[in-house]
Amino acid sequence: DSGVTQTPKHLITATGQRVTLRCSPRSGDLSVYWYQQSLDQGLQFLIQYYNGEERAKGNILERFSAQQFPDLHSELNLSSLELGDSALYFCASSAYPSTGELFFGEGSRLTVL
Amino acid sequence: AQTVTQSQPEMSVQEAETVTLSCTYDTSESDYYLFWYKQPPSRQMILVIRQEAYKQQNATENRFSVNFQKAAKSFSLKISDSQLGDAAMYFCAYRSGARLAGNTPLVFGKGTRLSVIA
């Protein structure tokens, strides 16, 4: 158990809909990262938050947005969903300073029909 | 931007044998971390091994070891005495700014799928 909690674990929805994925980082970790993993692909970095502020942005679509709340949990909002958005969405957290690695949650599997 | 390349999409190894997975990376930085993560069928991302760029000694974790060649920007993973439970997708990853650890994302390669043959 990495200590990072993601909900929901599985989500099935239709094209055009909007969903919210939630992440609770490890206790005390200030940084939260979101990654997308499409079928049999590597992990693509979406966005990073540090103590409530956006710190880095990767290949995140304009239809996607995220935020980190004062209690440090984070939400990833995906809107106007398309079939190609079907993927495993990982949240990870890290401490600062740290030994370098990210600690990953179990992921949220999104299926868009 | 940093890039990570894993040139072997798939590898296989006989149980109890040794296998080496390759990884190269491109960076102009001198201060960074390198990682190998394992993703079994459960899809959980599990840290296998970590290497700080400033350390010349290659990292070792039980049956897992790395060959870190900083000048060549190469970071291979050796798995000794392979076990059926080692079957998984293996990702090489780079993180810049070891002194800023905790403030930068990981950059992943596309992965190598390892099969272990009984």
Side-chain angles (χ1 to χ4, degrees), chain B residues 38-79:
Chain B
K38 170 184 177 180
Q39 188 179 41
S42 67
R43 307 297 268 183
Q44 176 73 45
M45 294 293 290
I46 302 167
L47 178 68
V48 175
I49 201 163
R50 169 201 316 111
Q51 176 80 45
E52 291 92 334
Y54 67 87
K55 291 186 177 179
Q56 292 185 342
Q57 186 173 4
N58 289 324
T60 299
E61 290 286 344
N62 300 314
R63 297 182 295 107
F64 299 87
S65 61
V66 298
N67 183 5
F68 174 46
Q69 301 290 327
K70 191 172 184 179
K73 297 178 184 176
S74 171
F75 183 61
S76 61
L77 175 70
K78 185 172 80 171
I79 306 174

Side-chain angles (χ1 to χ4, degrees), chain A residues 31 33 35 55 100-102, chain B residues 37 39 50 95 101-103 106:
Chain A
S31 280
Y33 308 76
Y35 285 84
R55 182 58 61 99
E101 70 266 32
L102 299 190
Chain B
Y37 278 84
Q39 188 179 41
R50 169 201 316 111
R95 191 180 198 189
N103 244 7
L106 290 180

Side-chain angles (χ1 to χ4, degrees), chain A residues 34-38 41-47 59, chain B residues 106 108-110:
Chain A
W34 287 97
Y35 285 84
Q36 179 193 54
Q37 185 180 31
S38 300
Q41 296 294 311
L43 280 76
Q44 296 295 317
F45 169 65
L46 296 178
I47 197 164
N59 300 320
Chain B
L106 290 180
F108 285 89
K110 292 188 181 298

Side-chain angles (χ1 to χ4, degrees), chain A residues 40 63 92 98 109:
Chain A
D40 290 332
R63 300 183 285 108
S98 81
R109 165 78 64 188

